[in-house]
Amino acid sequence: MNYENIIVATHGKVGLITLHRPEVLNALNDGLIDDLGAALRLFEADENIGCIVVTGSEKAFAAGADIAAMVNWDYMEVYKTNFITRNWDCIAQCRKPVIAAVAGFALGGGCELAMTCDMIYAADTAKFGQPEVKLGILPGAGGTQRLPRAVGKAKAMDLCLSARLMDAEEAERCGLVARIIPAAKLLEETLAAAATIANFSLPMLMMIKESVNRAWESSLHEGLLFERRTIHAAFAMDDRKEGMAAFLQKRKPVFKNR
């Protein structure tokens, strides 16, 4: 497919999506989000893809939503068009693992977009923030909901109410970021990590992702029940049999995604 706002590539079993609106630091508009959703759906449907990476430029993952596009909107316009809900959940709906590789600014909608991924790998140049209050509005694509779950209430309040930015080291300390990588090696190391993930059993990756998300979204009792039922189901998988047999035979497993 031809995309106007993203660049799409494959690296073995890894799908790579690069946000590409360099003239506005990858500011997020409907066109970009629609392109992103279309590319994600294609990677989801491709049985050869086991992990997806979403990245931006050295200067910015995404510097925020496109304010110029929305400055004249009114309530009825955003309500009737189902603004945000209509297309911004495209990453959260993916069953395959999705990694955000973030360099430079991930602000406002950019930070929210990164948080919808399963994990964030940050360059040492990364800056995160929810500065919407400066514009007389609040985060609306998950900033007031995903951020407290990732970093805690106090840190989320601080970031959302003061509009200050958080560097990669602070983001890792408080749990927003999974890894910090030197900026020059961000994409290389993220793709290598994604390749490692993609070479495991895809159904098992999906089960693990679903189980971890259940921990985030339910009580411990319900999460443990879900985990238990899922591991019981895993014993029916050919890949589970192959993985354990390969371990005992001291060889590399050959997973067939079933």
Side-chain angles (χ1 to χ4, degrees), residues 15 114 123 128 144-145 169:
F128 300 88
T144 67
Q145 303 302 305
E169 289 188 4

Side-chain angles (χ1 to χ4, degrees), residues 104-120:
F105 295 112
L107 307 181
C111 185
E112 291 169 312
L113 191 71
M115 287 191 292
T116 64
C117 298
D118 298 307
M119 50 197 140
I120 300 173

Side-chain angles (χ1 to χ4, degrees), residues 3-7 17-36 55-57 59-70 88:
Y3 301 100
E4 293 184 7
N5 305 287
I6 62 174
I7 298 171
I17 301 171
T18 303
L19 310 182
H20 188 65
R21 298 187 73 211
E23 69 283 359
V24 288
L25 296 179
N26 294 333
L28 304 170
N29 62 6
D30 268 349
L32 188 152
I33 298 297
D34 286 342
D35 281 354
L36 177 61
T55 192
S57 69
K59 291 183 179 180
F61 176 75
D66 191 339
I67 305 305
M70 65 176 69
W88 276 68

Side-chain angles (χ1 to χ4, degrees), residues 5 14 17 40 45 79 82-85 89 92 108-109 120 126-127 129 144 173 186 188 197 202 218 226 231 242-243:
N5 305 287
V14 178
I17 301 171
L40 288 167
Y79 179 74
N82 210 14
F83 174 53
I84 298 175
T85 306
D89 288 338
I120 300 173
K127 301 284 186 182
T144 67
R173 283 199 308 271
L186 176 65
E188 175 188 349
I197 292 169
L202 180 56
S218 66
F226 183 86
I231 196 172
E242 165 64 9

Side-chain angles (χ1 to χ4, degrees), residues 1 89 103 124 219 249:
M1 290 184 63
D89 288 338
D124 50 16
S219 67
Q249 295 166 16

